[in-house]
């Protein structure tokens, strides 16, 4: 059962506000996975056995149909809604070769594992290739690039990342025979850009340029599928894809899968004592003509102070008053999660902060419980990250501190809680973080716990529930 953070905070004397978001699930159609690919039921491999008898979500079915009609597809659907399956079903039933591009393969382990399960069930080949995998391939095999080219050409799905694809296109431009993707790209039928919301405007411009280059030098008539949880301007991207490929582009939207979620904003501990301390030195606040009426009212009304606590403290400090700050003990807030059935991800704004918080928590734990705490970021090895992910799935790791690497692609499945140690700079990243939890129906409810850590998020959060909701619902920036 998921630990109730509200009850725990109340017992420790913390003030907080909270609200609940309802459950959500995409619509389904009458078509089942095994209706399209009978091998899923006849020869189940790994994840395939879990979905064989399940009905497709409506957005999966619509994307499958549009791809079948020869169109490009932009699929905008929340995390946990099966976007990978939407294009892969088309590939498995049509026999078209696909090149799937992920931001980094290190962050696409779950998708690659699922794709390989589906392919093994259907009896087709999948190859994942980036610089590291290429070097490992050459070390393990006793032959060179010609054999790897053959493997890629024989694969129904090739998975790579933008950096490797760009380098290979440069080789192709200089001497085509040096390119590993030659002649694969001349036969490719579908290019998939997954985790599209991971990229910023400059990276998206580069991806679209690479599509133009592939179209120019290969001459292949490929379709494009863009998969994203969020997108601010799908119409503009649609026009660009159609201009590049010469094909119509369909924009499809789908709901996320989400169990009931409680959003909890932690204001601080023993705020009434803090209120009394501010009131004791608050005369300059009351007398200053530059202090707003809301701050002055907070000195006489505790509920107003509770709502405006961060603003009051900031204004008091600006007048040179020595007042205590709202306090949150990270260890006492997070430590109960180590006994939870599910996993808690703690997102920070930097690798240094993730390591610092993890170290602080471990130091206060008994030796036999320290292995339940881990960090996950690009400065630790791939092997360590995979061990952390495996430990989380198996219930050995309960608390993971990460700056961003777990906000995309990785589906641990048992994540029941996201803790934001400071809000990210933009709404898009907040939504990416949130998409990591509650991806299993058997989870009763999930939690979003926000611990104010910077001046700007303290200012926002002090404004109450509605201010936070308005920020979360802000329109996304245009990326193309």
């Amino acid at each position: 059962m998921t630990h109730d953070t509200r009850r725990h905070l109340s017992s420790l004397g913390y003030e907080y506000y909270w609200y609940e978001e309802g459950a959500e699930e995409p619509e389904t159609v009458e078509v089942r996975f095994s209706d399209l690919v009978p091998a899923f039921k006849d020869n189940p491999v790994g994840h395939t056995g879990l979905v064989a008898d399940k009905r497709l979500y409506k957005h999966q079915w619509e994307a499958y149909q549009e791809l079948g009609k020869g169109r490009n597809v932009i699929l905008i659907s929340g995390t946990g809604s099966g976007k990978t399956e939407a294009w892969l079903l088309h590939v498995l039933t049509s026999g078209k070769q696909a090149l799937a591009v992920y931001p980094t393969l290190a962050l696409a382990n779950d998708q690659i594992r699922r794709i390989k399960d589906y392919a093994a069930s259907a009896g087709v080949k999948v190859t994942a290739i980036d610089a590291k995998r290429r070097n490992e391939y050459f070390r393990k095999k006793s032959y060179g690039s010609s054999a790897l080219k053959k493997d890629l050409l024989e694969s129904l799905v090739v998975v790579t990342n933008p950096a490797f694809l760009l380098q290979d296109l440069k080789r192709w431009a200089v001497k085509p025979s040096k390119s590993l993707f030659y002649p694969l790209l001349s036969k490719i039928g579908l290019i998939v850009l997954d985790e599209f919301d991971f990229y910023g405007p400059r990276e998206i411009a580069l991806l679209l340029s690479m599509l133009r280059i592939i179209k120019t030098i290969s001459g292949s008539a490929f379709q494009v599928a863009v998969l994203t949880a969020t997108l601010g301007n799908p119409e503009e991207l649609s026009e660009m894809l159609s201009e590049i490929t010469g094909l119509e582009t369909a924009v499809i939207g789908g709901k996320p899968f989400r169990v009931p979620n409680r959003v909890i904003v932690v204001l601080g501990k023993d705020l009434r004592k803090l209120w009394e301390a501010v009131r004791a030195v608050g005369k300059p606040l009351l007398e200053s003509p530059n202090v707003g009426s809301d701050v002055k009212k907070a000195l006489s009304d505790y509920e107003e102070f509770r709502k405006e606590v961060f603003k009051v403290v900031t204004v008091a400090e600006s007048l040179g008053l020595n007042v205590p700050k709202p306090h949150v003990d990270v260890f006492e807030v997070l430590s109960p999660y180590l006994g939870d059935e599910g996993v808690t991800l703690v997102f920070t704004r930097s690798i240094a902060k993730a390591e610092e918080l993890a170290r602080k928590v471990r130091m206060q734990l008994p030796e036999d419980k320290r292995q339940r705490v881990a960090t996950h970021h690009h400065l630790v090895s791939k092997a360590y990250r995979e061990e952390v992910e495996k430990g989380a799935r198996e219930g050995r790791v309960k608390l993971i501190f990460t700056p961003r690497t777990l906000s995309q692609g990785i589906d641990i499945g048992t994540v029941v809680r996201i803790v934001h140690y400071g809000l990210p700079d933009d709404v898009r990243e907040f939504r990416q973080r949130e998409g990591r939890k509650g991806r299993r129906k058997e989870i009763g409810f999930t939690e979003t716990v926000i611990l104010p850590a910077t001046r700007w998020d303290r200012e926002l959060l002090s404004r109450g529930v509605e201010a936070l909701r308005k920020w979360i619902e802000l329109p996304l920036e245009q990326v193309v």
Side-chain angles (χ1 to χ4, degrees), residues 305-419:
F305 175 79
R306 183 177 176 272
K307 186 176 73 171
E308 303 283 0
V309 56
F310 298 119
K311 185 175 184 179
V312 172
V313 170
T314 299
V315 172
E317 289 177 337
S318 71
L319 294 178
L321 299 179
N322 185 19
V323 296
K325 293 182 179 180
H327 172 66
V328 174
D329 184 321
V330 174
F331 176 76
E332 67 179 4
V333 172
L334 300 182
S335 58
Y337 302 152
L338 296 172
D340 219 332
E341 286 186 10
V343 175
T344 295
L345 302 184
V346 183
F347 284 98
T348 64
R349 292 170 64 89
S350 69
I351 291 174
K353 181 58 69 173
E355 290 289 350
E356 176 192 331
L357 294 177
R359 186 166 54 251
K360 284 182 177 179
V361 172
R362 286 195 197 100
M363 287 175 62
Q364 298 182 68
L365 289 174
E367 187 72 35
D368 62 336
K369 291 186 178 181
R370 292 179 182 176
Q371 73 276 9
R372 298 184 187 181
V373 180
T375 56
H376 191 291
H377 50 77
H378 73 272
L379 293 185
V380 297
S381 69
K382 175 189 174 186
Y384 177 80
R385 290 196 304 267
E386 290 178 344
E387 182 57 32
V388 169
E389 295 162 25
K390 181 181 178 183
R393 292 189 185 95
E394 295 176 352
R396 293 180 285 107
V397 176
K398 295 293 185 179
L399 193 59
I400 306 176
F401 293 83
T402 180
R404 195 181 181 192
T405 53
L406 281 174
S407 69
Q408 291 283 148
I410 297 170
D411 180 12
I412 291 174
T414 55
V415 177
V416 297
R417 183 180 298 101
I418 300 296
V419 176

Side-chain angles (χ1 to χ4, degrees), residues 84 87 100-105 108 111 115 159-162 194-195 199:
T84 298
W87 66 265
V101 182
Y102 288 86
T104 72
L105 297 200
Q111 286 99 326
I115 291 169
V159 184
T160 191
N161 62 37
D194 204 345
E195 304 287 358
Y199 304 108

Side-chain angles (χ1 to χ4, degrees), residues 21 76-80 83 195 197-198 228-233 256-258 261 347 404 406-409 418 420 423-437 439 448 468-477:
E21 299 170 326
I76 309 166
S77 182
T79 51
K83 294 186 289 293
E195 304 287 358
D197 46 329
F198 185 90
T228 181
T230 57
L231 185 62
N233 52 335
F257 173 83
R258 184 177 69 196
N261 182 59
F347 284 98
R404 195 181 181 192
L406 281 174
S407 69
Q408 291 283 148
I418 300 296
H420 302 270
L423 292 172
D425 289 332
D426 59 71
V427 176
R428 183 179 66 169
E429 186 174 342
F430 179 84
R431 295 179 189 175
Q432 289 168 350
R433 292 177 176 186
E434 286 292 295
R436 297 304 101 198
K437 69 178 185 312
R439 305 180 79 166
T448 298
L468 175 63
R469 281 181 163 171
K470 286 179 181 178
W471 181 76
I472 292 172
E473 294 168 4
L474 283 174
L476 298 174
E477 64 174 331

Side-chain angles (χ1 to χ4, degrees), residues 115-288:
I115 291 169
K116 286 187 173 180
D117 284 348
Y118 292 139
S121 181
V124 296
K125 187 175 180 178
V126 172
T127 299
I129 185 72
D130 58 7
K132 185 174 182 179
R133 284 172 170 81
R134 176 198 59 200
N135 296 338
E136 289 174 353
Y137 186 96
F138 289 157
R139 281 199 301 270
K140 292 177 182 178
K141 306 284 184 179
S142 57
Y143 44 93
S145 61
S146 59
L148 179 53
K149 286 181 187 179
K150 185 172 181 290
D151 276 359
L152 295 175
L153 196 57
E154 291 173 352
S155 298
L156 187 65
V157 178
V158 175
V159 184
T160 191
N161 62 37
F164 190 81
L165 178 59
L166 179 60
Q167 289 301 317
D168 201 74
L169 289 176
K170 290 178 180 178
R171 294 189 193 95
W172 189 331
V174 175
K175 190 175 183 181
S177 62
K178 294 291 184 180
S179 164
L180 287 175
F181 287 145
Y182 176 83
L184 171 69
L185 290 180
S186 63
K187 297 184 178 181
I188 212 74
L190 177 67
I191 296 179
V192 180
L193 303 179
D194 204 345
E195 304 287 358
F196 198 72
D197 46 329
F198 185 90
Y199 304 108
R202 290 183 180 181
E203 295 160 316
I204 288 174
L206 180 59
L207 283 171
L208 296 177
S209 295
M210 285 195 281
L211 291 180
R212 289 190 176 92
I213 292 169
I214 293 170
K215 184 69 176 177
T216 299
I217 63 180
S218 72
S220 58
F222 58 83
Q223 297 166 259
V224 177
V226 172
L227 313 180
T228 181
T230 57
L231 185 62
N233 52 335
E235 296 79 13
E236 291 181 40
L237 179 60
S238 173
E239 291 176 6
M240 291 184 179
L241 294 181
S242 293
E243 181 262 319
I244 292 169
T245 63
L247 303 173
E248 293 181 7
T249 300
V251 178
I252 299 168
K255 294 180 180 179
F257 173 83
R258 184 177 69 196
V259 300
N261 182 59
R262 299 168 184 172
V263 180
I264 302 163
V265 179
V266 183
L267 299 175
K269 190 173 184 178
D270 298 329
L271 287 192
R272 192 169 286 276
K273 291 181 181 179
L274 175 58
W275 181 55
E276 295 291 352
V278 175
R279 279 160 55 92
V281 297
K283 188 176 180 181
L285 290 171
L286 294 173
E287 295 177 347
S288 173

Side-chain angles (χ1 to χ4, degrees), residues 1-4 339-342 417 445:
M1 186 174 179
T2 305
H3 177 82
D4 188 342
D340 219 332
E341 286 186 10
R417 183 180 298 101
F445 69 91

